[in-house]
């Protein structure tokens, strides 16, 4: 399946007409999770299973910390504490 034309704006650095959801799925998902609007994310969720998107959020090196934390909280992959921050030593905890 091809990426819809209304989403080509998110793929400015590649030929979006050539992207296939089967072969370029991870790249497409990472870009939309990072830059996409509500319409783009709804399309993404209709195309890819939730478990695949959760795996991308956990493993992707292309997602910013901000996006990873947002999607991780939305998908309930971790608690509301910031998972990207190092844990404090027990000596400093109250």
């Amino acid at each position: 399946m091809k990426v819809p034309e209304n989403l080509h704006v998110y793929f400015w650095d590649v030929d979006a007409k050539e992207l296939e959801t089967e072969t370029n799925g991870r790249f497409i998902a990472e870009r939309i999770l990072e830059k996409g609007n509500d319409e783009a994310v709804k399309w993404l969720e209709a195309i890819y299973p939730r478990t695949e998107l959760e795996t991308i959020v956990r493993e992707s090196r292309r997602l910013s910390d901000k996006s990873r934390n947002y999607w991780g909280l939305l998908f309930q992959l971790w608690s509301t504490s910031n998972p990207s921050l190092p844990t404090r030593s027990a000596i400093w905890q109250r």
Side-chain angles (χ1 to χ4, degrees), residues 3 7-20 24 27-28 31:
V3 174
L7 302 182
H8 286 190
V9 66
Y10 300 112
F11 304 98
W12 62 89
D13 56 340
V14 297
D15 186 2
K17 294 176 186 172
E18 298 299 318
L19 291 175
E20 293 280 344
N24 308 109
F27 172 72
I28 292 167
R31 184 64 62 92

Side-chain angles (χ1 to χ4, degrees), residues 29-66:
E30 289 169 335
R31 184 64 62 92
I32 290 178
L33 289 172
E34 184 69 31
K35 304 282 185 191
N37 63 11
D38 289 342
E39 179 184 3
V41 171
K42 284 179 186 175
W43 173 81
L44 187 69
E45 290 178 323
I47 298 300
Y48 297 105
R50 174 87 174 244
T51 55
E52 190 171 337
L53 296 177
E54 290 174 356
T55 299
I56 290 170
V57 169
R58 280 191 196 99
E59 297 175 357
S60 175
R61 293 181 176 206
R62 291 185 180 138
L63 289 179
S64 66
D65 287 344
K66 184 177 181 179

Side-chain angles (χ1 to χ4, degrees), residues 50 57 66-83:
R50 174 87 174 244
V57 169
K66 184 177 181 179
S67 292
R68 179 184 326 286
N69 288 334
Y70 174 79
W71 291 110
L73 290 171
L74 198 69
F75 292 156
Q76 298 178 346
L77 301 178
W78 40 73
S79 69
T80 56
S81 64
N82 189 341

